[in-house]
Amino acid sequence: MALLALFMASANTVDMPTRQAFIVEMVGRDDLMNAIALNSAMFNAARIVGPALAGLAIARWGTAVAFYLNAASFVPVIVGCSPWAHRAARAASGRSMAHDIREGVRFAVSTPRVALTMAWCSR
């Protein structure tokens, strides 16, 4: 259980900053405030609608079907965003993903405010 919690914390450490940084690249600075508001509304709506739909699916078809439906809901987003995101990221930097990750970790560790925030949030 602790290993699973460590894995989820590590994934979330990378996930949210990546999503937030990606919004700027998708919409530009002029529409950034509207994009942040729409993104926040989407996440909060999903927190309400998702468990309600999962409860209905579990009651009707069982737990396995609810998990399959959840997994299937990610497929259109992944398929739609993957080619575009990969092209944009490679064109912008010209470096490997591993290099970009090392650079991000190096920045986070060397910036006291960011390092403190990461240490605080991961506890």
Side-chain angles (χ1 to χ4, degrees):
M1 187 62 110
L3 188 60
L4 182 59
L6 176 66
F7 175 74
M8 285 300 296
S10 300
N12 286 334
T13 300
V14 174
D15 182 54
M16 278 315 284
T18 303
R19 288 178 192 259
Q20 291 169 349
F22 195 55
I23 290 174
V24 177
E25 292 186 24
M26 287 176 44
V27 300
R29 296 215 181 265
D30 294 338
D31 296 323
L32 185 58
M33 294 299 285
N34 292 331
I36 290 171
L38 184 60
N39 188 41
S40 179
M42 179 193 65
F43 271 102
N44 289 322
R47 288 179 180 159
I48 296 169
V49 174
L53 291 177
L56 292 172
I58 289 169
R60 176 80 170 132
W61 299 296
T63 311
V65 173
F67 277 102
Y68 287 128
L69 290 173
N70 184 39
S73 73
F74 286 90
V75 172
V77 176
I78 293 170
V79 169
C81 290
S82 289
W84 177 74
H86 180 70
R87 275 196 313 269
R90 292 305 92 188
S93 70
R95 298 180 305 246
S96 71
M97 185 185 305
H99 179 270
D100 290 343
I101 290 171
R102 281 192 304 273
E103 185 178 324
V105 169
R106 199 173 306 128
F107 169 80
V109 170
S110 66
T111 308
R113 187 173 282 171
V114 175
L116 181 63
T117 302
M118 288 177 60
W120 178 261
C121 292
S122 65
R123 64 180 187 114

